Amino acid sequence: LFGLALQAWPSAAAAGGIVPQALSIALGLLSALFYINLGLFVFNLIPLPPLDGSYVLFGALPNLSLERKMQIYQIGSFALLAILVISAATNLDILPIGPMVQRLGGWLLGIAGLS
């Protein structure tokens, strides 16, 4: 929705005569909200429990026993927390979400004609 608003805003601003400073602030806010939502989308697709990507992983591995899935689910939360803490403490980009979000966002905005 924020991407669509980004696409529609400049033409609506030109028709309504919105102040350029207000337009700049609004476009910056819409852009930030677009990238935040895209980042949350990409982050949630990581195949570690309790994130939604784990359901995709478990669906791709139908022969995995219920006990094994429960073991993975129990360990997944701690593994995710450890990855996030280590990334923040060492400045290592273990989960390259930022570059993925930038590329995906640029691609989506390009499709919409906004890049």
Side-chain angles (χ1 to χ4, degrees):
L1 291 175
F2 295 118
L4 292 174
L6 274 171
Q7 186 177 17
W9 188 273
S11 60
I18 295 177
V19 178
Q21 292 171 335
L23 177 63
S24 175
I25 291 170
L27 286 175
L29 178 64
L30 286 172
S31 178
L33 291 173
F34 172 76
Y35 278 104
I36 287 170
N37 279 296
L38 195 58
L40 290 172
F41 167 74
V42 170
F43 179 76
N44 204 26
L45 287 179
I46 296 172
L48 281 174
L51 301 175
D52 289 338
S54 64
Y55 299 112
V56 175
L57 176 67
F58 291 154
L61 302 171
N63 295 333
L64 204 59
S65 69
L66 182 60
E67 292 89 20
R68 180 62 77 188
K69 287 180 184 178
M70 293 307 292
Q71 288 174 343
I72 293 171
Y73 200 87
Q74 289 174 348
I75 295 171
S77 297
F78 293 111
L80 182 62
L81 181 63
I83 288 170
L84 293 175
V85 169
I86 291 169
S87 284
T90 61
N91 258 351
L92 290 176
D93 203 8
I94 296 173
L95 298 173
I97 293 174
M100 288 172 28
V101 167
Q102 288 296 323
R103 282 190 180 168
L104 183 60
W107 181 72
L108 289 171
L109 291 175
I111 288 175
L114 296 172
S115 62

